[in-house]
Each structure stands twice: as structure tokens, then as C-alpha cells.
Amino acid sequence: MSAQQPGIPGEIQEQAPGHVPAASPAATPGRVLAMVESLTVRFPGSGSAAVEDVSLVVHAGECVALVGESGSGKSLTARALLGLLPRAAIATHTALEIVASGGTLAPAQEPGHRRWDAIRGAHGSLVPQDALGALDPLRRVEHEVGDALRLHHLASGKDRRHRVRAALNAAGMPEPERHLRQRSDELSGGLRQRALVAAALIADPEFIVADEPTTALDAGHRGNVLARLRQRVDQGCGVLLITHDLASVRGVADRVLVMRHGRIIEAGEPSRVLTQPTHPFTRELLESSPAGKPRGVRLTGEFRSPGASLEPADPTPAAPIEAPRATCAPRLELADISVSFGTHQVLRRVSLELAAGETVGLVGESGSGKTTLLRVALGLQSPAGGTVRVDGVDRQTLSAAARVQLRRRLAFVPQDPLDSVPRGASGGQILADALRAAGTPRASRTAKSAALAAEVGLEPDLLRRPTQSLSGGQRQRLSIARALARDPEVLLLDEPVSALDVTVQARVLDLLDEVQAQRGTTFLFVSHDVDVIHHMSDRVLRLENGEIGRS
């Protein structure tokens, strides 16, 4: 390990925004830090295993990337290495070990065994995918990030606060001192993600599981987080990186494992797997990227459900999707919107218009106010000044009942689906409730729910499971299906594909294009992914320093 003081990542040299240092393919892997052999994970009532006969090993000085579709078993495999499988999971394996400099720490013991408490945070850590669910909304950021130092008695008092501040700064948190006393629900999705990265790295663990660690981050901060992880690897750590961002795999990983339907189907060095894949599914992953594909061009062939065959597709190019033609009258208009939280002004006289059938892309750094602007449009956040009009009607001039009716013409796909659904509710219950609110007759709701699930590539049996047991990508697809239940005129999308792998992302983006072409729906599309934004948008606006301009 490096001789630098544990938990002070702020001493790492700053990287240029978006820069990711290349992995060193010539590096020889060190000792084994984590390994599992013949891992199988099942859930009661499920006909097939979620993970089946998977073996992997992570060495010191090595980054292993695990890629694949949502629900393929990536996160379950990674969590098994830290004893963090869900309670309902039934796991078997022939070997499971976490190894530190002092020897083996975790022989095959049940996940709830107290010995795991001595491992997690100090020797092995997790950057979880769910930025909201992983943070306690009742605790301050300072305490959440510093927990590993407190629980493992590594620092106290002023020293702990100093190290928390340094860890937040290294993770890209702007003005870390200002955020120390805040709670997670006061932070944007990107700021929450940076807090999770800081919490995972603060105690300088030897083994790091990074489960989609850059999902909510803009390109610059995404590159910086990946650079931090790579630097930890070069200092002797081992990293298991779960990601759907193939660009980050190219720049960071030493080995790539591709998962599908609970099994590892391809493995090798990034230079080989990402340029000369042997499995049809790996080839589909690479071909589904929106990079360089203009507005209106389909990303996939005929829509396939997640369980459909992946035999090589017909080489005939899919017909392009006809881009909708916008009319002159604004469907949604935001005029001179200003919003402040305390003394911090988030939005300054922001104005934009969306025509019927148009997609406007909105970009900006994490914390720039994009989500706040969407909440104002929905009527969930009252602006300090400005006007919201739908089809020329000023919402503030209407009665309460009329405002409710007006709001039903707008739908929202949130960045974090778990933030907007009842705990314990199944996917079927969530869709049925959305259809009830949309006025769908009771007798038709089950069939309509199944049809909506099929539209977004969500398998019917997943509707019976609680949303907490779904993968991040499955939850996002459910969120899109729920938004479509009311057949909205305006769809506000806050990072709608950030948690999706590229194949499912491609299907969802094609689906949104089809919905727009068939229904004339207007989209305000927020994303950090430049390739996605330019593929989907008629116009692109940038929100910066609380003000808006063209990108």
C-alpha cells in the first residue's frame, strides 16, 4: 500500500476534467484480496438462479470490471464478496475469502456474521449504486462519510472532521465545508454520489467494490472519480468495478468480465474484449452506444424483451425513426424562474420554452439546479419568482382543482426511482396505482400493467417483486412505465437512462422516440451523458451558475 496517510485522498494530484489515466496492462497482479468460487444465488419462488456458478478473483494492484445488462447478477456477485446479499437470498459457494495484509479475514461465513463488521469499511468497502437509499436522511453528511473512521477507531474529533472534509474534496464535492452539516435529502443526486465515494475511500481500504460509482455524475467529475479509483489500484488496492460505461472500462480496467443471465460469458483484457468480442451479447453491448448516431436514428433493430434470443441480428439497417415536427405554440413555458435555498441562489431568472413534440436536452454539472427546474415545472417546488405556463395557461391563475388537472398533463421520470415509491410496494402495485390515477378502469389495469412493462423491456414476473429487490436498471424501467401510464403531453426526464446498461439504454431511448412519434409527447430531457443528449435532442441548453444558455 501507499505510504500516504490513510483516508486523505485530497493529497492525490488533481486530474483534468474528464481525464482517466490508462490502466497499465503490463502490471503483474499481486496477492489475492478477494475471491469467490462457484457462487450461486437464488431467491425463493424464482425458477432460475440470479447468479449461477460464478467464480472470480481480484488481486492487489488490479481493477476487474464486471459489465452486463441490468439484472444479470453483477451487483449480487459483488455484494456477496462483502457479505451484503439481501436477507431473502440463498447463496452457496465452494470458497469465499477477503484477504488483508495480516491474512484471511472472511472464510465462508453467513452474511450476518459479526466478523463482517470488522471487514467492511476498513479492509473492504462498497460504493453503492443507490445514492439515496444508501444514505440515512436523518444523519448529516459529516457523520455518514466519517462512519468508517468512527466505527474502526481510526480517527476522532477534529482529525475525523478534517479527513471527512479532505475525502469530500477529493471526491469532487464543491465547498465541502458547506455540505458537512447537510442531510442527504438536501443534496442533488450527483452530490450524494460523491459523498458515497468519499465514504467508501476514507479509511483507505485494500479492496473496493464500486457499483456504478459514476451514475449521477457529469463527465468531468466522472473522470475524476475513475482517476481516483485507478490511482488506488496503482497504489496496491484491488477494485471490482461494476459499470455500464464501456468508455470507463477501456481507461481503467485490467480485466473485463461480461455477465448475462447470472453467468460470466466472456472474459479477457479490455483491448481484446472491447475490440474483438467473441460472444454475440458482447458485440451487442458495443453496437448499442448512441455515440455518433444522429437524432431520429434507431439504436436497435426490432425491439427484444430481456429474455429474447441474442442470435446475430439481420444485418439490414433498421429504418430510422422519423423525428417529430414541432409546432410554434409552446406546450410548456418557464419564464424568469428564480429559486433560492437559504442564502444560496440555485436558479436566476431561468427561461425556456418547449414546443409540442419537441425534445429539449438540458445539461449542466451536478448540483447546477437541473432537478430543481424540473420540480418547478411539475409544481413540486414553488419559485421565488417567475411563471409556469402549460399551453399558454398560467398555473398560478387556476384554482387548486384546476391545477391538479393541469399537472396530470405532465409526468416525471426521477433520477432515483426508489425516492418516489412506497417501501415494500411491488412493481405491479406501482403501475396499477398509476393507472388508477390516470382513470384506467380496474378491470383493465392488470393487462395494461403487463403491456407497459413489456414496452420498457421489464419481464412480467418482476412486477410481483418489491421494488427494493429489483436492480437499478429494472427500477428505472419501471419508473418510465409508470410515467407513461397517464399518456402525458409533457414528459420530464431526470437522467432516465443513467442506471441502464447500453443495450437496455438503447431500447429505452428507441422507445421514447417511438412514444414521441406516436403521441406527439414533448420531452425535457436531463442527462450527464453527452452522447445520449445529442442523440435524443432537437435543441440542447446548458444550465450553469443558475443561468441558462445554448450548449
Side-chain angles (χ1 to χ4, degrees):
M1 294 294 291
S2 167
Q4 79 173 55
Q5 187 179 358
I8 307 293
E11 297 176 2
I12 297 172
Q13 184 176 358
E14 192 68 26
Q15 302 291 323
H19 172 75
V20 180
S24 174
T28 301
R31 60 189 175 85
V32 171
L33 292 180
M35 61 85 69
V36 65
E37 292 181 359
S38 302
L39 173 68
T40 297
V41 180
R42 297 180 180 274
F43 288 91
S46 177
S48 58
V51 175
E52 189 167 3
D53 196 28
V54 167
S55 299
L56 65 82
V57 60
V58 180
H59 299 87
E62 179 184 43
C63 176
V64 178
L66 197 56
V67 302
E69 285 190 316
S70 304
S72 63
K74 306 186 302 295
S75 294
L76 288 173
T77 300
R79 284 175 172 270
L81 289 170
L82 293 175
L84 290 172
L85 286 172
R87 289 180 180 271
I90 303 170
T92 60
H93 43 71
T94 57
L96 172 63
E97 292 183 353
I98 298 291
V99 184
S101 55
T104 300
L105 294 176
Q109 295 168 330
E110 64 274 18
H113 196 283
R114 63 185 180 183
R115 192 168 185 181
W116 283 109
D117 294 338
I119 296 168
R120 291 192 288 259
H123 300 287
S125 67
L126 171 70
V127 182
Q129 181 183 106
D130 180 9
L132 181 66
L135 294 172
D136 187 340
L138 300 180
R139 301 183 71 213
R140 301 186 190 279
V141 169
E142 176 182 2
H143 301 140
E144 289 281 279
V145 174
D147 259 353
L149 300 179
R150 178 180 62 84
L151 294 171
H152 295 285
H153 308 291
L154 299 176
S156 60
K158 291 183 178 179
D159 182 37
R160 186 162 69 220
R161 170 172 275 220
H162 167 68
R163 292 173 65 171
V164 168
R165 188 164 46 242
L168 289 172
N169 182 65
M173 179 82 80
E175 302 179 81
E177 183 69 35
R178 181 168 69 86
H179 297 298
L180 286 177
R181 305 294 292 170
Q182 291 183 314
R183 296 178 173 85
S184 62
D185 61 354
E186 299 176 86
L187 303 179
S188 70
L191 294 181
R192 293 173 192 159
Q193 191 67 37
R194 279 172 266 185
L196 290 179
V197 171
L201 301 185
I202 194 169
D204 200 20
E206 292 183 294
F207 173 55
I208 302 165
V209 173
D211 190 355
E212 300 286 3
T214 62
T215 291
L217 302 181
D218 57 81
H221 288 107
R222 182 163 58 242
N224 284 334
V225 167
L226 293 172
R228 298 287 185 272
L229 291 175
R230 184 64 224 180
Q231 286 168 338
R232 290 298 179 102
V233 170
D234 293 339
Q235 293 165 358
C237 291
V239 171
L240 180 59
L241 173 65
I242 299 171
T243 182
H244 60 264
D245 183 355
L246 297 181
S248 68
V249 170
R250 284 189 175 91
V252 176
D254 300 291
R255 286 191 292 129
V256 178
L257 309 179
V258 183
M259 285 193 76
R260 182 168 184 257
H261 294 167
R263 288 180 173 271
I264 294 176
I265 59 169
E266 188 160 3
E269 293 184 357
S271 59
R272 200 276 303 166
V273 174
L274 301 180
T275 58
Q276 297 175 313
T278 59
H279 196 281
F281 173 70
T282 311
R283 292 199 294 271
E284 187 182 29
L285 279 178
L286 297 171
E287 292 167 359
S288 297
S289 170
K293 296 179 181 174
R295 175 84 167 107
V297 173
R298 188 183 294 275
L299 299 175
T300 63
E302 185 176 354
F303 179 78
R304 286 189 293 259
S305 67
S309 171
L310 274 171
E311 294 301 317
D314 185 337
T316 304
I321 300 168
E322 183 179 353
R325 184 173 299 173
T327 63
C328 295
R331 177 58 55 85
L332 175 66
E333 181 182 2
L334 305 177
D336 295 327
I337 300 296
S338 296
V339 175
S340 296
F341 296 125
T343 59
H344 179 58
Q345 189 166 12
V346 179
L347 300 175
R348 299 180 180 88
R349 299 179 65 84
V350 169
S351 297
L352 62 85
E353 295 180 355
L354 285 79
E358 181 187 30
T359 296
V360 173
L362 185 62
V363 299
E365 288 193 356
S366 302
S368 63
K370 302 184 301 296
T371 299
T372 299
L373 188 63
L374 296 186
R375 290 177 58 83
V376 170
L378 283 166
L380 300 177
Q381 172 74 47
S382 297
T387 304
V388 179
R389 299 184 183 92
V390 179
D391 284 335
V393 178
D394 184 347
R395 187 165 56 203
Q396 289 303 111
T397 65
L398 301 176
S399 66
R403 283 200 298 270
V404 170
Q405 291 298 322
L406 190 68
R407 186 180 163 193
R408 286 178 179 172
R409 295 160 64 179
L410 284 68
F412 180 49
V413 178
Q415 182 178 7
D416 190 332
L418 279 183
D419 191 21
S420 59
V421 299
R423 287 278 173 177
S426 68
Q429 291 170 330
I430 289 168
L431 291 183
D433 185 63
L435 290 166
R436 177 194 57 77
T440 303
R442 181 189 295 270
S444 305
R445 291 175 197 165
T446 300
K448 183 64 173 175
S449 294
L452 286 168
E455 270 193 294
V456 298
L458 200 61
E459 294 175 340
D461 64 341
L462 295 177
L463 296 182
R464 295 189 288 271
R465 287 171 50 180
T467 53
Q468 285 74 21
S469 70
L470 301 179
S471 70
Q474 290 165 345
R475 290 196 295 261
Q476 196 69 299
R477 280 179 270 170
L478 177 65
S479 180
I480 292 171
R482 180 179 62 169
L484 294 176
R486 64 174 67 180
D487 193 16
E489 296 174 7
V490 179
L491 194 57
L492 307 176
L493 303 116
D494 190 2
E495 298 283 1
V497 294
S498 63
L500 305 183
D501 57 84
V502 289
T503 54
V504 177
Q505 170 184 278
R507 297 170 195 160
V508 171
L509 294 179
D510 282 353
L511 167 68
L512 291 171
D513 272 339
E514 291 164 3
V515 166
Q516 189 172 59
Q518 294 167 5
R519 309 182 188 184
T521 313
T522 298
F523 294 161
L524 180 56
F525 198 111
V526 170
S527 178
H528 288 125
D529 190 318
V530 174
D531 293 329
V532 168
I533 278 288
H534 285 287
H535 172 72
M536 291 297 295
S537 305
D538 298 301
R539 293 184 290 128
V540 180
L541 305 176
R542 172 171 290 277
L543 193 57
E544 188 171 6
N545 297 324
E547 299 176 344
I548 208 158
R550 287 191 178 275
S551 178

